[in-house]
Amino acid sequence: MTSRRGFIAGLLATSLAPAPSWADLGGPAFLAAAKDHGGRYLLAGLSDTGAIRFTCPLPGRGHAAAAHPHRPEAVAFARRPGRFADVIDCRDGTHLARLEPPQGHHFYGHGLFSRDGSRLFTTENDYETGRGVIGLWEVTQAYRRIGSFGSGGIGPHDMLLRHSPRGDQLAIANGGIETHPDSGRAKLNLPQMRPNLSLLSLEGEVLDVMELDWDLHLNSIRHLALSSQGTLGFAMQWQGDPGADLPLLGLYQPGAAPQLLAEGDPRLRNMRGYGGSVAFAADDQSIAVSSPRGGMVQVLDTSNGEIIREHALQDVCGLATASNGLIASTGLGQILALTGGAAKPLGRHDLAWDNHLIRLA
């Protein structure tokens, strides 16, 4: 009679052992970067109820992460203008690789895997030319860099994978702001900045570019969300004079004009010109945008663009779609469910959550 140990050994010997998966970690629903009370930086996996499934150390402050679609592996990106992007085995925190951008480039805090997990795409700044770049890495060859192409604009930040009848597309938030590491986080081209939302093929062909009217050219398009119907939500950060009642959230369906939400609503001032994260509710009937500067989450109706409700939450930024609505995180360690008209605490951790909650597929 074959023993259990012998059976497993036999599977390993014949390469039939089950491949590791996210289920091995309890099925985390979200990734988030954080800082602990000792000042150490980490990447955490969270359940859909806000419980921590795992933590892995990071060498510096993280911004967002990309989750491999099949195996428990993530790429954690440094906050701009950081240069690290660490590939982590989330089962034990092992650093599998450190991606280094080419000379003259730095990462912009976001990236994503192709649907089959064979390639990684990264948003980058070619700061010597001011050109936005998408880096291309071959995952099956130990994350070897195999090329790059233009992002369709300046300052690419967030990026999503969008399915269309023509195949998968990269939706890229080109913030329009030129920066250079020698100038820190200084914005070098505000008078001429021109943000856009670009759709590219996975080979870099520009398929569509959406720009706002010139009177909103200082509204930097920074973060993206995707509805189940392929509509893109985009959150903006106003670079002009403070105090203006300007929209910070929009919807875009390729082939149609963009829809700016809550235009003229004086409650826009509560956001202090800053859209931090954006997410559709599970039913696509509403969309939310956060503002850590304003300590506010606004939830808006996707059909008429009106503000439905506000949640005052100190240092809130992370937002993601949850099974029954929305989930949010704060720099005070809170994880909250935004369902109905309430912000329901799910848990509080001794961590300062950073900007984003990244939903696993």
Side-chain angles (χ1 to χ4, degrees):
M1 182 175 180
T2 304
S3 69
R4 181 175 180 274
R5 180 178 297 176
F7 175 72
I8 293 174
L11 285 178
L12 291 171
T14 58
S15 300
L16 294 176
S21 73
W22 289 106
D24 298 334
L25 295 173
F30 309 100
L31 298 178
K35 182 173 70 172
D36 69 15
H37 66 280
R40 294 176 291 267
Y41 295 102
L42 57 89
L43 179 72
L46 296 169
S47 74
D48 57 5
T49 60
I52 293 178
R53 295 295 194 220
F54 67 84
T55 62
C56 302
L58 295 179
R61 181 177 175 182
H63 183 74
H68 192 278
H70 309 306
R71 58 180 184 257
E73 191 169 297
V75 181
F77 293 96
R79 179 176 183 259
R80 178 181 68 83
R83 288 181 56 84
F84 78 79
D86 280 4
V87 184
I88 302 169
D89 184 336
C90 296
R91 293 174 297 173
D92 56 11
T94 300
H95 282 60
L96 303 175
R98 171 161 294 176
L99 308 186
E100 296 283 351
Q103 185 66 33
H105 288 209
H106 66 69
F107 293 121
Y108 254 125
H110 289 263
L112 58 82
F113 285 92
S114 60
R115 205 170 299 274
D116 64 1
S118 66
R119 290 189 174 182
L120 176 76
F121 300 86
T122 54
T123 54
E124 301 174 12
N125 180 24
D126 178 351
Y127 52 80
E128 297 300 342
T129 66
R131 174 174 171 261
V133 168
I134 304 301
L136 184 57
W137 311 76
E138 182 58 53
V139 175
T140 59
Q141 298 177 16
Y143 288 87
R144 181 174 68 89
R145 189 178 180 94
I146 57 173
S148 65
F149 47 77
S151 71
I154 291 173
H157 191 60
D158 201 2
M159 177 170 53
L160 294 178
L161 193 64
R162 178 182 184 272
H163 183 70
S164 79
R166 299 177 61 180
D168 284 340
Q169 304 171 341
L170 299 174
I172 302 164
N174 286 301
I177 300 173
E178 185 177 346
T179 62
H180 194 289
D182 291 348
S183 303
R185 294 174 66 86
K187 302 159 187 175
L188 306 177
N189 68 327
L190 293 186
Q192 298 84 30
M193 68 174 279
R194 193 65 167 147
N196 72 46
L197 197 169
S198 291
L199 292 176
L200 275 63
S201 73
L202 300 192
E203 291 72 41
E205 178 189 359
V206 177
L207 305 174
D208 185 82
V209 177
M210 185 279 291
E211 291 185 340
L212 301 177
D213 292 339
W214 178 252
D215 59 354
L216 291 174
H217 82 100
L218 291 177
N219 230 1
S220 178
I221 299 173
R222 303 286 287 168
H223 293 109
L224 301 173
L226 185 66
S227 80
S228 61
Q229 303 302 312
T231 297
L232 289 158
F234 56 97
M236 296 168 282
Q237 296 174 6
W238 177 245
Q239 307 301 315
D241 294 334
D245 297 337
L246 291 169
L248 297 176
L249 187 59
L251 301 176
Y252 181 60
Q253 182 66 247
Q259 176 189 359
L260 298 178
L261 308 188
E263 282 192 283
D265 192 318
R267 289 175 290 179
L268 287 170
R269 293 190 182 185
N270 296 338
M271 304 293 280
R272 296 184 60 188
Y274 191 95
S277 291
V278 57
F280 284 94
D283 60 7
D284 288 344
Q285 294 181 16
S286 60
I287 186 171
V289 60
S290 65
S291 173
R293 289 184 184 175
M296 186 68 65
V297 174
Q298 290 183 340
V299 183
L300 298 94
D301 190 307
T302 54
S303 63
N304 59 25
E306 296 179 359
I307 297 173
I308 302 170
R309 67 186 67 91
E310 294 183 306
H311 299 285
L313 299 167
Q314 185 178 351
D315 200 18
V316 65
C317 197
L319 278 178
T321 305
S323 58
N324 60 346
L326 293 156
I327 190 168
S329 61
T330 78
L332 303 180
Q334 297 169 295
I335 304 293
L336 308 106
L338 308 183
T339 57
K344 177 185 176 183
L346 295 175
R348 188 165 192 156
H349 306 283
D350 192 15
L351 295 169
W353 298 111
D354 221 287
N355 293 69
H356 299 296
L357 284 167
I358 304 300
R359 185 175 177 85
L360 276 71

